[in-house]
Amino acid sequence: MSVLEIKDLHVSVETDQGTKQILRGVDLTINEGEIHAIMGPNGSGKSTLAYTIAGHPKYHVESGSILLDGAEVLKMTVDARARAGLFLAMQYPVEIPGVTVTNFLRTAKTAIEGEAPPIRTWIKDVRQAMTDLRMDKAFAERNVNEGFSGGEKKRNEILQLELLKPKFAVLDETDSGLDVDALKIVSEGVNRAKTNTGLGLLLITHYTRILRYIHPDFVHVFVNGRIAEQGGPELADRLEDEGYDRFLVPSNVG
Amino acid sequence: MSAASALSKSASKTVPAPSTPAAESVLPAGQHGIKEHSDGRFGYVPVQTRSDRFKSVNVADFEAVTGREAVWKHSPVAKFTDLTAGGLDGSRYPVESTPSADISVAWVPRTDARIGTAGLPEERAAANAWSVFDDALAITVSGEEAKEITVTRSALGINARGAHTIIEAKPFSQATIILQNTGEARLSENIEIILGESANLTVVSLQEWDDSAVHLANHFASVGRDARLKHVVVSLGGSIVRVNPSVRLAGPGSDTLLLGLYFADAGQHLEQQVYVFHDAPKSRSRVNYKGALQGQDARTVWIGDVLIGNKAAGTDSYEQNRNLVLTEGTRADSIPNLEIETGDIVGAGHASATGRFDDEQLFYLQARGITEEEARRLVVRGFLTEVVQQIGSPELEARLQLAIEAELIGTDDK
Ligand SMILES: Nc1ncnc2c1ncn2[C@@H]1O[C@H](COP(=O)(O)OP(=O)(O)OP(=O)(O)O)[C@@H](O)[C@H]1O
Ligand SMILES: [Mg+2]
């Protein structure tokens, strides 16, 4: 069984004002097949955690480690992490000029599998996944994310999740900017991927509404660069009612 | 986009090629990256209408080149004074061509009646070449069947040379002519391209010179009634390569597609000054040049002048240039100019954009398992393919795809 372990992770970025500490000791273990939701206010460092797992060069790991089945992820290049089975659905997917979705998907699949996928079944798989996500066929020939609406970009991320079949996926605010229909479609896609491959999920979100469709096993409250509290799905309901306020004001009780 | 609609019908006017947000957004890299619209020719007003430029076949009629002239100001003129100021070798040179019925390749004397009919030099290097050539290489196409020929120059050597070529497509003839350039060269040359009525001609000029080569070329084309010229400039190899095509749409209903593809790596200067003169009614032009830049001091220049003359009612034109910047330390100038002397046009527009392949794009592709090298290849191939695919010669297209990949890898090794 696969496991992703994040241990005492400290991360900073360089800003014009100097080095800025963002993650201040994150500990988190995700087993295959588990769904972990991370909820937290703006600027608490959720995306930083996601990008650090994926290996974005902007983020400097000061200390700590990330292990995938015991192997140190922090020593791997960005592409090696993806080939090892990690996937990041980005909060703001990037537009790639000159590269069609079809071409991109095939190239990524080939890179991850180490060989080109058999053409017939691959084309069928891509079509099926696009149909499931209610993506028009025309998207296949468009350049990656170029001129896509916010919702279309998110679907395109989940399309990749379904086709690339990672062991662990981090979904960074995949629910943001989706109307309720799109939210259902995208959630179905995530659930399908989980049923098909049994992947582990780290679901970063601001709101509880996606948790109606994707049911977390664990909920972590992320505040000021670390996990402030964790619990089961009931914690999400509490956050829905109370918001993050009680984590934000320094407590002077007892 | 109709730049024309805003124009008065009266006198000649230059649209100062604004860098419109619309044009820039076409290359989505702009979202994260940069656009380097060139040297701020906003408000630039040409001294004269493009067609009024001074022309002469006599080198002595041109002042010594200083580098301040409009035609030279983007070029490293100090590196080829031999071509602009020196004596040139105008003798015949070795040339090979693939056999093709209905296309003759022969040396003809300076007195050949076709010489000077498609255009005349507008700068000193061109006039210098014109003054010295002993014989011109004439490629003459007849016959209505489609056919292809490759004419190769690979042994020009390091002597400064001047050369002259005539390509004539007889009325109703059809052909693809590939001019392939490899090896060493210090060459200034003029190529005249003459299309008779209803001819359909593709001319591809392929620059795959050695690293040290310097090549200054002026192509002058004259396109007759209902004739169609597809002209393609592919510049990959050479130290300084400057290929300036001028096309005069001379007959009613004439049509031209001008394509360009260039890949500049470290230290390379690749330049093209494209000029389309709509001089007849119902003429149509499309210009599409795409370039990639990679490596320290990779430098490209594209100037696109379109002149819609007062005889050219009902014309349709569009020109665009896009550059993809792959690394730091490069410079791409992109300068479209549109002059319109008639109020009656179907369409006239231009776009110019320089986009960066940036770290966020690279990260996105790598986050899907694609290696850095493969990611660059994917983006560049995608970017340039649009032009390659329009050439219309499958073999050449396949070969160019490989050549582009070699360019990418070539710099990776540096
Ligand atoms: N490159 C950077 N330069 C400066 N500050 C940065 C940079 N990247 C992140 N930060 C800062 O780090 C903090 C955490 O950012 P992060 O994007 O991880 O937050 P988040 O929890 O994902 O927020 P949101 O809910 O808005 O997506 C913020 O204060 C942010 O401004
Ligand atoms: Mg975020």
Side-chain angles (χ1 to χ4, degrees), chain A residues 56 78-79 82-83 88 90 95 98 104 107 111-112 145-146 157 160, chain B residues 27-28 31 360-361 363-371 374 378 382:
Chain A
H56 195 293
V78 175
D79 45 304
R83 292 196 297 273
L88 168 61
M90 296 188 202
E95 304 189 0
F104 167 62
T107 307
I112 283 176
N145 293 324
E146 199 175 288
E157 294 294 284
Q160 295 165 51
Chain B
L27 218 186
Q31 186 189 332
E360 294 303 322
Q361 294 162 354
F363 172 74
Y364 188 80
L365 293 168
Q366 285 184 284
R368 299 302 180 248
I370 300 166
T371 60
E374 177 74 12
L378 192 65

PDB file of all heavy atoms in Angstrom, chain A residues 56 78-79 82-83 88 90 95 98 104 107 111-112 145-146 157 160, chain B residues 27-28 31 360-361 363-371 374 378 382:
ATOM      1  N   HIS A  56       7.593  23.059  -7.136  1.00  0.00           N
ATOM      2  CA  HIS A  56       7.752  24.359  -7.785  1.00  0.00           C
ATOM      3  C   HIS A  56       9.027  25.045  -7.289  1.00  0.00           C
ATOM      4  O   HIS A  56       9.250  25.161  -6.092  1.00  0.00           O
ATOM      5  CB  HIS A  56       6.538  25.241  -7.498  1.00  0.00           C
ATOM      6  CG  HIS A  56       6.457  26.428  -8.413  1.00  0.00           C
ATOM      7  ND1 HIS A  56       7.387  27.447  -8.375  1.00  0.00           N
ATOM      8  CD2 HIS A  56       5.589  26.741  -9.403  1.00  0.00           C
ATOM      9  CE1 HIS A  56       7.086  28.339  -9.306  1.00  0.00           C
ATOM     10  NE2 HIS A  56       5.991  27.936  -9.940  1.00  0.00           N
ATOM     11  N   VAL A  78      10.848  17.968 -10.706  1.00  0.00           N
ATOM     12  CA  VAL A  78       9.394  18.107 -10.839  1.00  0.00           C
ATOM     13  C   VAL A  78       8.813  16.957 -11.667  1.00  0.00           C
ATOM     14  O   VAL A  78       7.832  16.314 -11.280  1.00  0.00           O
ATOM     15  CB  VAL A  78       9.042  19.463 -11.498  1.00  0.00           C
ATOM     16  CG1 VAL A  78       7.550  19.571 -11.759  1.00  0.00           C
ATOM     17  CG2 VAL A  78       9.521  20.614 -10.628  1.00  0.00           C
ATOM     18  N   ASP A  79       9.437  16.684 -12.809  1.00  0.00           N
ATOM     19  CA  ASP A  79       8.890  15.645 -13.680  1.00  0.00           C
ATOM     20  C   ASP A  79       9.052  14.255 -13.065  1.00  0.00           C
ATOM     21  O   ASP A  79       8.197  13.392 -13.246  1.00  0.00           O
ATOM     22  CB  ASP A  79       9.492  15.721 -15.092  1.00  0.00           C
ATOM     23  CG  ASP A  79      10.989  15.907 -15.103  1.00  0.00           C
ATOM     24  OD1 ASP A  79      11.474  16.886 -14.499  1.00  0.00           O
ATOM     25  OD2 ASP A  79      11.679  15.080 -15.712  1.00  0.00           O
ATOM     26  N   ALA A  82       6.172  13.558 -10.767  1.00  0.00           N
ATOM     27  CA  ALA A  82       4.957  13.154 -11.486  1.00  0.00           C
ATOM     28  C   ALA A  82       5.066  11.704 -11.932  1.00  0.00           C
ATOM     29  O   ALA A  82       4.108  10.937 -11.819  1.00  0.00           O
ATOM     30  CB  ALA A  82       4.729  14.075 -12.686  1.00  0.00           C
ATOM     31  N   ARG A  83       6.254  11.331 -12.383  1.00  0.00           N
ATOM     32  CA  ARG A  83       6.414   9.948 -12.841  1.00  0.00           C
ATOM     33  C   ARG A  83       6.364   8.975 -11.667  1.00  0.00           C
ATOM     34  O   ARG A  83       6.002   7.813 -11.823  1.00  0.00           O
ATOM     35  CB  ARG A  83       7.721   9.799 -13.636  1.00  0.00           C
ATOM     36  CG  ARG A  83       7.677  10.551 -14.966  1.00  0.00           C
ATOM     37  CD  ARG A  83       8.776  10.110 -15.916  1.00  0.00           C
ATOM     38  NE  ARG A  83      10.101  10.402 -15.391  1.00  0.00           N
ATOM     39  CZ  ARG A  83      10.735  11.573 -15.562  1.00  0.00           C
ATOM     40  NH1 ARG A  83      10.166  12.540 -16.264  1.00  0.00           N
ATOM     41  NH2 ARG A  83      11.938  11.756 -15.052  1.00  0.00           N
ATOM     42  N   LEU A  88      -0.646  17.232  -9.225  1.00  0.00           N
ATOM     43  CA  LEU A  88      -1.184  18.469  -8.658  1.00  0.00           C
ATOM     44  C   LEU A  88      -2.185  19.075  -9.637  1.00  0.00           C
ATOM     45  O   LEU A  88      -1.826  19.419 -10.764  1.00  0.00           O
ATOM     46  CB  LEU A  88      -0.049  19.470  -8.405  1.00  0.00           C
ATOM     47  CG  LEU A  88      -0.477  20.917  -8.073  1.00  0.00           C
ATOM     48  CD1 LEU A  88      -1.310  20.987  -6.798  1.00  0.00           C
ATOM     49  CD2 LEU A  88       0.759  21.824  -7.954  1.00  0.00           C
ATOM     50  N   MET A  90      -3.945  22.245 -10.414  1.00  0.00           N
ATOM     51  CA  MET A  90      -3.557  23.586  -9.963  1.00  0.00           C
ATOM     52  C   MET A  90      -4.732  24.526  -9.754  1.00  0.00           C
ATOM     53  O   MET A  90      -5.754  24.429 -10.425  1.00  0.00           O
ATOM     54  CB  MET A  90      -2.583  24.191 -10.962  1.00  0.00           C
ATOM     55  CG  MET A  90      -1.309  23.381 -10.989  1.00  0.00           C
ATOM     56  SD  MET A  90      -0.028  24.128 -11.940  1.00  0.00           S
ATOM     57  CE  MET A  90       0.966  22.663 -12.272  1.00  0.00           C
ATOM     58  N   GLU A  95      -1.694  28.472 -19.234  1.00  0.00           N
ATOM     59  CA  GLU A  95      -1.920  28.337 -20.673  1.00  0.00           C
ATOM     60  C   GLU A  95      -0.601  27.995 -21.370  1.00  0.00           C
ATOM     61  O   GLU A  95       0.426  28.590 -21.081  1.00  0.00           O
ATOM     62  CB  GLU A  95      -2.483  29.646 -21.241  1.00  0.00           C
ATOM     63  CG  GLU A  95      -3.753  30.078 -20.533  1.00  0.00           C
ATOM     64  CD  GLU A  95      -4.466  31.242 -21.210  1.00  0.00           C
ATOM     65  OE1 GLU A  95      -3.969  31.719 -22.245  1.00  0.00           O
ATOM     66  OE2 GLU A  95      -5.521  31.660 -20.696  1.00  0.00           O
ATOM     67  N   GLY A  98       0.694  26.871 -28.419  1.00  0.00           N
ATOM     68  CA  GLY A  98       1.206  25.954 -29.448  1.00  0.00           C
ATOM     69  C   GLY A  98       1.082  24.474 -29.147  1.00  0.00           C
ATOM     70  O   GLY A  98       1.523  23.652 -29.936  1.00  0.00           O
ATOM     71  N   PHE A 104      -0.611  17.210 -25.779  1.00  0.00           N
ATOM     72  CA  PHE A 104      -0.147  17.318 -24.396  1.00  0.00           C
ATOM     73  C   PHE A 104      -0.464  16.050 -23.604  1.00  0.00           C
ATOM     74  O   PHE A 104       0.398  15.488 -22.920  1.00  0.00           O
ATOM     75  CB  PHE A 104      -0.821  18.540 -23.763  1.00  0.00           C
ATOM     76  CG  PHE A 104      -0.702  18.638 -22.281  1.00  0.00           C
ATOM     77  CD1 PHE A 104       0.532  18.750 -21.663  1.00  0.00           C
ATOM     78  CD2 PHE A 104      -1.841  18.630 -21.480  1.00  0.00           C
ATOM     79  CE1 PHE A 104       0.633  18.856 -20.283  1.00  0.00           C
ATOM     80  CE2 PHE A 104      -1.757  18.735 -20.116  1.00  0.00           C
ATOM     81  CZ  PHE A 104      -0.519  18.840 -19.511  1.00  0.00           C
ATOM     82  N   THR A 107       1.687  13.139 -24.746  1.00  0.00           N
ATOM     83  CA  THR A 107       3.072  13.304 -24.322  1.00  0.00           C
ATOM     84  C   THR A 107       3.222  13.027 -22.820  1.00  0.00           C
ATOM     85  O   THR A 107       4.166  12.357 -22.387  1.00  0.00           O
ATOM     86  CB  THR A 107       3.555  14.735 -24.641  1.00  0.00           C
ATOM     87  OG1 THR A 107       3.302  15.013 -26.009  1.00  0.00           O
ATOM     88  CG2 THR A 107       5.037  14.880 -24.370  1.00  0.00           C
ATOM     89  N   ALA A 111       5.254   9.997 -21.060  1.00  0.00           N
ATOM     90  CA  ALA A 111       6.316  10.290 -20.097  1.00  0.00           C
ATOM     91  C   ALA A 111       6.098   9.489 -18.809  1.00  0.00           C
ATOM     92  O   ALA A 111       7.034   8.926 -18.239  1.00  0.00           O
ATOM     93  CB  ALA A 111       6.345  11.786 -19.799  1.00  0.00           C
ATOM     94  N   ILE A 112       4.868   9.437 -18.365  1.00  0.00           N
ATOM     95  CA  ILE A 112       4.588   8.809 -17.084  1.00  0.00           C
ATOM     96  C   ILE A 112       4.663   7.290 -17.158  1.00  0.00           C
ATOM     97  O   ILE A 112       5.191   6.634 -16.268  1.00  0.00           O
ATOM     98  CB  ILE A 112       3.229   9.314 -16.538  1.00  0.00           C
ATOM     99  CG1 ILE A 112       3.463  10.716 -15.966  1.00  0.00           C
ATOM    100  CG2 ILE A 112       2.651   8.373 -15.508  1.00  0.00           C
ATOM    101  CD1 ILE A 112       2.247  11.427 -15.478  1.00  0.00           C
ATOM    102  N   ASN A 145      -5.409  24.996 -22.187  1.00  0.00           N
ATOM    103  CA  ASN A 145      -5.930  26.076 -21.341  1.00  0.00           C
ATOM    104  C   ASN A 145      -6.060  27.437 -22.021  1.00  0.00           C
ATOM    105  O   ASN A 145      -6.495  28.402 -21.390  1.00  0.00           O
ATOM    106  CB  ASN A 145      -5.090  26.236 -20.058  1.00  0.00           C
ATOM    107  CG  ASN A 145      -5.228  25.034 -19.143  1.00  0.00           C
ATOM    108  OD1 ASN A 145      -6.307  24.452 -19.043  1.00  0.00           O
ATOM    109  ND2 ASN A 145      -4.146  24.650 -18.493  1.00  0.00           N
ATOM    110  N   GLU A 146      -5.680  27.513 -23.284  1.00  0.00           N
ATOM    111  CA  GLU A 146      -5.706  28.795 -23.973  1.00  0.00           C
ATOM    112  C   GLU A 146      -7.156  29.224 -24.214  1.00  0.00           C
ATOM    113  O   GLU A 146      -7.902  28.558 -24.931  1.00  0.00           O
ATOM    114  CB  GLU A 146      -4.963  28.672 -25.302  1.00  0.00           C
ATOM    115  CG  GLU A 146      -4.525  29.981 -25.898  1.00  0.00           C
ATOM    116  CD  GLU A 146      -3.685  29.758 -27.157  1.00  0.00           C
ATOM    117  OE1 GLU A 146      -2.529  29.317 -27.051  1.00  0.00           O
ATOM    118  OE2 GLU A 146      -4.195  30.006 -28.259  1.00  0.00           O
ATOM    119  N   GLU A 157      -8.019  19.883 -15.738  1.00  0.00           N
ATOM    120  CA  GLU A 157      -7.138  19.314 -14.709  1.00  0.00           C
ATOM    121  C   GLU A 157      -7.615  17.918 -14.305  1.00  0.00           C
ATOM    122  O   GLU A 157      -6.814  16.990 -14.170  1.00  0.00           O
ATOM    123  CB  GLU A 157      -7.107  20.214 -13.458  1.00  0.00           C
ATOM    124  CG  GLU A 157      -6.476  21.588 -13.676  1.00  0.00           C
ATOM    125  CD  GLU A 157      -4.998  21.524 -13.979  1.00  0.00           C
ATOM    126  OE1 GLU A 157      -4.186  21.295 -13.065  1.00  0.00           O
ATOM    127  OE2 GLU A 157      -4.644  21.711 -15.158  1.00  0.00           O
ATOM    128  N   GLN A 160      -6.934  15.252 -16.810  1.00  0.00           N
ATOM    129  CA  GLN A 160      -5.569  14.729 -16.682  1.00  0.00           C
ATOM    130  C   GLN A 160      -5.461  13.764 -15.510  1.00  0.00           C
ATOM    131  O   GLN A 160      -4.797  12.734 -15.587  1.00  0.00           O
ATOM    132  CB  GLN A 160      -4.586  15.882 -16.509  1.00  0.00           C
ATOM    133  CG  GLN A 160      -4.506  16.792 -17.723  1.00  0.00           C
ATOM    134  CD  GLN A 160      -3.825  18.109 -17.402  1.00  0.00           C
ATOM    135  OE1 GLN A 160      -2.744  18.124 -16.837  1.00  0.00           O
ATOM    136  NE2 GLN A 160      -4.465  19.206 -17.740  1.00  0.00           N
TER     137      GLN A 160
ATOM    138  N   LEU B  27      -1.066  35.452 -28.435  1.00  0.00           N
ATOM    139  CA  LEU B  27      -0.040  34.567 -27.918  1.00  0.00           C
ATOM    140  C   LEU B  27      -0.176  34.569 -26.408  1.00  0.00           C
ATOM    141  O   LEU B  27       0.236  35.513 -25.745  1.00  0.00           O
ATOM    142  CB  LEU B  27       1.354  35.058 -28.326  1.00  0.00           C
ATOM    143  CG  LEU B  27       2.343  33.940 -28.674  1.00  0.00           C
ATOM    144  CD1 LEU B  27       3.714  34.506 -28.924  1.00  0.00           C
ATOM    145  CD2 LEU B  27       2.377  32.868 -27.624  1.00  0.00           C
ATOM    146  N   PRO B  28      -0.762  33.526 -25.876  1.00  0.00           N
ATOM    147  CA  PRO B  28      -1.184  33.578 -24.493  1.00  0.00           C
ATOM    148  C   PRO B  28      -0.014  33.648 -23.518  1.00  0.00           C
ATOM    149  O   PRO B  28      -0.198  33.948 -22.361  1.00  0.00           O
ATOM    150  CB  PRO B  28      -1.943  32.268 -24.305  1.00  0.00           C
ATOM    151  CG  PRO B  28      -1.401  31.376 -25.363  1.00  0.00           C
ATOM    152  CD  PRO B  28      -1.028  32.252 -26.512  1.00  0.00           C
ATOM    153  N   GLN B  31       0.374  36.365 -20.965  1.00  0.00           N
ATOM    154  CA  GLN B  31      -0.252  36.376 -19.653  1.00  0.00           C
ATOM    155  C   GLN B  31       0.791  36.340 -18.545  1.00  0.00           C
ATOM    156  O   GLN B  31       0.674  37.003 -17.539  1.00  0.00           O
ATOM    157  CB  GLN B  31      -1.156  35.156 -19.541  1.00  0.00           C
ATOM    158  CG  GLN B  31      -1.965  35.116 -18.282  1.00  0.00           C
ATOM    159  CD  GLN B  31      -2.661  33.769 -18.171  1.00  0.00           C
ATOM    160  OE1 GLN B  31      -2.961  33.131 -19.160  1.00  0.00           O
ATOM    161  NE2 GLN B  31      -2.904  33.343 -16.961  1.00  0.00           N
ATOM    162  N   GLU B 360       6.531  29.168 -15.503  1.00  0.00           N
ATOM    163  CA  GLU B 360       5.257  28.592 -15.064  1.00  0.00           C
ATOM    164  C   GLU B 360       4.757  27.554 -16.070  1.00  0.00           C
ATOM    165  O   GLU B 360       4.203  26.521 -15.695  1.00  0.00           O
ATOM    166  CB  GLU B 360       4.200  29.692 -14.882  1.00  0.00           C
ATOM    167  CG  GLU B 360       4.494  30.659 -13.749  1.00  0.00           C
ATOM    168  CD  GLU B 360       4.651  29.968 -12.391  1.00  0.00           C
ATOM    169  OE1 GLU B 360       3.910  29.007 -12.114  1.00  0.00           O
ATOM    170  OE2 GLU B 360       5.527  30.405 -11.622  1.00  0.00           O
ATOM    171  N   GLN B 361       4.974  27.853 -17.344  1.00  0.00           N
ATOM    172  CA  GLN B 361       4.581  26.879 -18.365  1.00  0.00           C
ATOM    173  C   GLN B 361       5.440  25.624 -18.257  1.00  0.00           C
ATOM    174  O   GLN B 361       4.945  24.505 -18.349  1.00  0.00           O
ATOM    175  CB  GLN B 361       4.710  27.504 -19.751  1.00  0.00           C
ATOM    176  CG  GLN B 361       3.718  28.641 -19.968  1.00  0.00           C
ATOM    177  CD  GLN B 361       4.100  29.533 -21.128  1.00  0.00           C
ATOM    178  OE1 GLN B 361       5.164  29.380 -21.721  1.00  0.00           O
ATOM    179  NE2 GLN B 361       3.233  30.465 -21.443  1.00  0.00           N
ATOM    180  N   PHE B 363       6.919  24.556 -15.626  1.00  0.00           N
ATOM    181  CA  PHE B 363       6.523  23.828 -14.414  1.00  0.00           C
ATOM    182  C   PHE B 363       5.271  23.000 -14.660  1.00  0.00           C
ATOM    183  O   PHE B 363       5.192  21.835 -14.259  1.00  0.00           O
ATOM    184  CB  PHE B 363       6.289  24.810 -13.259  1.00  0.00           C
ATOM    185  CG  PHE B 363       5.700  24.150 -12.039  1.00  0.00           C
ATOM    186  CD1 PHE B 363       6.473  23.330 -11.232  1.00  0.00           C
ATOM    187  CD2 PHE B 363       4.366  24.336 -11.713  1.00  0.00           C
ATOM    188  CE1 PHE B 363       5.931  22.701 -10.118  1.00  0.00           C
ATOM    189  CE2 PHE B 363       3.803  23.713 -10.611  1.00  0.00           C
ATOM    190  CZ  PHE B 363       4.583  22.894  -9.803  1.00  0.00           C
ATOM    191  N   TYR B 364       4.326  23.593 -15.333  1.00  0.00           N
ATOM    192  CA  TYR B 364       3.066  22.889 -15.593  1.00  0.00           C
ATOM    193  C   TYR B 364       3.316  21.602 -16.380  1.00  0.00           C
ATOM    194  O   TYR B 364       2.810  20.533 -16.041  1.00  0.00           O
ATOM    195  CB  TYR B 364       2.124  23.806 -16.374  1.00  0.00           C
ATOM    196  CG  TYR B 364       0.715  23.272 -16.541  1.00  0.00           C
ATOM    197  CD1 TYR B 364      -0.211  23.377 -15.515  1.00  0.00           C
ATOM    198  CD2 TYR B 364       0.312  22.665 -17.725  1.00  0.00           C
ATOM    199  CE1 TYR B 364      -1.509  22.900 -15.663  1.00  0.00           C
ATOM    200  CE2 TYR B 364      -0.987  22.187 -17.889  1.00  0.00           C
ATOM    201  CZ  TYR B 364      -1.891  22.314 -16.858  1.00  0.00           C
ATOM    202  OH  TYR B 364      -3.173  21.835 -17.006  1.00  0.00           O
ATOM    203  N   LEU B 365       4.118  21.705 -17.423  1.00  0.00           N
ATOM    204  CA  LEU B 365       4.397  20.526 -18.243  1.00  0.00           C
ATOM    205  C   LEU B 365       5.203  19.496 -17.459  1.00  0.00           C
ATOM    206  O   LEU B 365       4.943  18.297 -17.526  1.00  0.00           O
ATOM    207  CB  LEU B 365       5.136  20.942 -19.520  1.00  0.00           C
ATOM    208  CG  LEU B 365       4.298  21.797 -20.485  1.00  0.00           C
ATOM    209  CD1 LEU B 365       5.173  22.417 -21.564  1.00  0.00           C
ATOM    210  CD2 LEU B 365       3.197  20.962 -21.126  1.00  0.00           C
ATOM    211  N   GLN B 366       6.168  19.976 -16.700  1.00  0.00           N
ATOM    212  CA  GLN B 366       6.980  19.041 -15.915  1.00  0.00           C
ATOM    213  C   GLN B 366       6.149  18.359 -14.830  1.00  0.00           C
ATOM    214  O   GLN B 366       6.379  17.203 -14.505  1.00  0.00           O
ATOM    215  CB  GLN B 366       8.159  19.774 -15.272  1.00  0.00           C
ATOM    216  CG  GLN B 366       9.251  20.115 -16.267  1.00  0.00           C
ATOM    217  CD  GLN B 366      10.429  20.743 -15.565  1.00  0.00           C
ATOM    218  OE1 GLN B 366      10.402  21.908 -15.181  1.00  0.00           O
ATOM    219  NE2 GLN B 366      11.471  19.966 -15.366  1.00  0.00           N
ATOM    220  N   ALA B 367       5.190  19.090 -14.292  1.00  0.00           N
ATOM    221  CA  ALA B 367       4.333  18.515 -13.260  1.00  0.00           C
ATOM    222  C   ALA B 367       3.454  17.398 -13.821  1.00  0.00           C
ATOM    223  O   ALA B 367       2.766  16.710 -13.079  1.00  0.00           O
ATOM    224  CB  ALA B 367       3.463  19.592 -12.616  1.00  0.00           C
ATOM    225  N   ARG B 368       3.480  17.236 -15.139  1.00  0.00           N
ATOM    226  CA  ARG B 368       2.759  16.120 -15.754  1.00  0.00           C
ATOM    227  C   ARG B 368       3.727  15.060 -16.242  1.00  0.00           C
ATOM    228  O   ARG B 368       3.407  14.246 -17.105  1.00  0.00           O
ATOM    229  CB  ARG B 368       1.890  16.630 -16.910  1.00  0.00           C
ATOM    230  CG  ARG B 368       0.838  17.640 -16.506  1.00  0.00           C
ATOM    231  CD  ARG B 368      -0.133  17.110 -15.451  1.00  0.00           C
ATOM    232  NE  ARG B 368      -1.136  18.081 -15.059  1.00  0.00           N
ATOM    233  CZ  ARG B 368      -1.195  18.644 -13.836  1.00  0.00           C
ATOM    234  NH1 ARG B 368      -0.309  18.332 -12.910  1.00  0.00           N
ATOM    235  NH2 ARG B 368      -2.142  19.494 -13.554  1.00  0.00           N
ATOM    236  N   GLY B 369       4.938  15.110 -15.737  1.00  0.00           N
ATOM    237  CA  GLY B 369       5.903  14.049 -16.025  1.00  0.00           C
ATOM    238  C   GLY B 369       6.814  14.304 -17.208  1.00  0.00           C
ATOM    239  O   GLY B 369       7.696  13.519 -17.510  1.00  0.00           O
ATOM    240  N   ILE B 370       6.593  15.432 -17.893  1.00  0.00           N
ATOM    241  CA  ILE B 370       7.357  15.727 -19.103  1.00  0.00           C
ATOM    242  C   ILE B 370       8.693  16.380 -18.726  1.00  0.00           C
ATOM    243  O   ILE B 370       8.720  17.317 -17.932  1.00  0.00           O
ATOM    244  CB  ILE B 370       6.521  16.647 -20.017  1.00  0.00           C
ATOM    245  CG1 ILE B 370       5.216  15.938 -20.402  1.00  0.00           C
ATOM    246  CG2 ILE B 370       7.294  17.073 -21.246  1.00  0.00           C
ATOM    247  CD1 ILE B 370       4.158  16.850 -21.012  1.00  0.00           C
ATOM    248  N   THR B 371       9.773  15.887 -19.289  1.00  0.00           N
ATOM    249  CA  THR B 371      11.081  16.449 -18.948  1.00  0.00           C
ATOM    250  C   THR B 371      11.207  17.863 -19.520  1.00  0.00           C
ATOM    251  O   THR B 371      10.489  18.240 -20.447  1.00  0.00           O
ATOM    252  CB  THR B 371      12.237  15.611 -19.523  1.00  0.00           C
ATOM    253  OG1 THR B 371      12.095  15.587 -20.945  1.00  0.00           O
ATOM    254  CG2 THR B 371      12.229  14.190 -18.989  1.00  0.00           C
ATOM    255  N   GLU B 374      11.933  17.875 -23.260  1.00  0.00           N
ATOM    256  CA  GLU B 374      10.734  17.495 -24.019  1.00  0.00           C
ATOM    257  C   GLU B 374       9.694  18.621 -24.003  1.00  0.00           C
ATOM    258  O   GLU B 374       9.015  18.877 -24.992  1.00  0.00           O
ATOM    259  CB  GLU B 374      10.158  16.205 -23.421  1.00  0.00           C
ATOM    260  CG  GLU B 374       8.857  15.716 -24.052  1.00  0.00           C
ATOM    261  CD  GLU B 374       9.028  15.087 -25.434  1.00  0.00           C
ATOM    262  OE1 GLU B 374      10.177  14.816 -25.805  1.00  0.00           O
ATOM    263  OE2 GLU B 374       8.016  14.886 -26.116  1.00  0.00           O
ATOM    264  N   LEU B 378       8.135  20.365 -27.219  1.00  0.00           N
ATOM    265  CA  LEU B 378       6.688  20.341 -27.425  1.00  0.00           C
ATOM    266  C   LEU B 378       6.155  21.730 -27.769  1.00  0.00           C
ATOM    267  O   LEU B 378       5.386  21.915 -28.709  1.00  0.00           O
ATOM    268  CB  LEU B 378       6.042  19.834 -26.133  1.00  0.00           C
ATOM    269  CG  LEU B 378       4.580  19.432 -26.122  1.00  0.00           C
ATOM    270  CD1 LEU B 378       4.362  18.227 -27.015  1.00  0.00           C
ATOM    271  CD2 LEU B 378       4.157  19.106 -24.692  1.00  0.00           C
ATOM    272  N   GLY B 382       5.016  22.914 -31.482  1.00  0.00           N
ATOM    273  CA  GLY B 382       3.631  23.374 -31.603  1.00  0.00           C
ATOM    274  C   GLY B 382       3.543  24.760 -32.202  1.00  0.00           C
ATOM    275  O   GLY B 382       2.698  25.050 -33.043  1.00  0.00           O
TER     276      GLY B 382
END
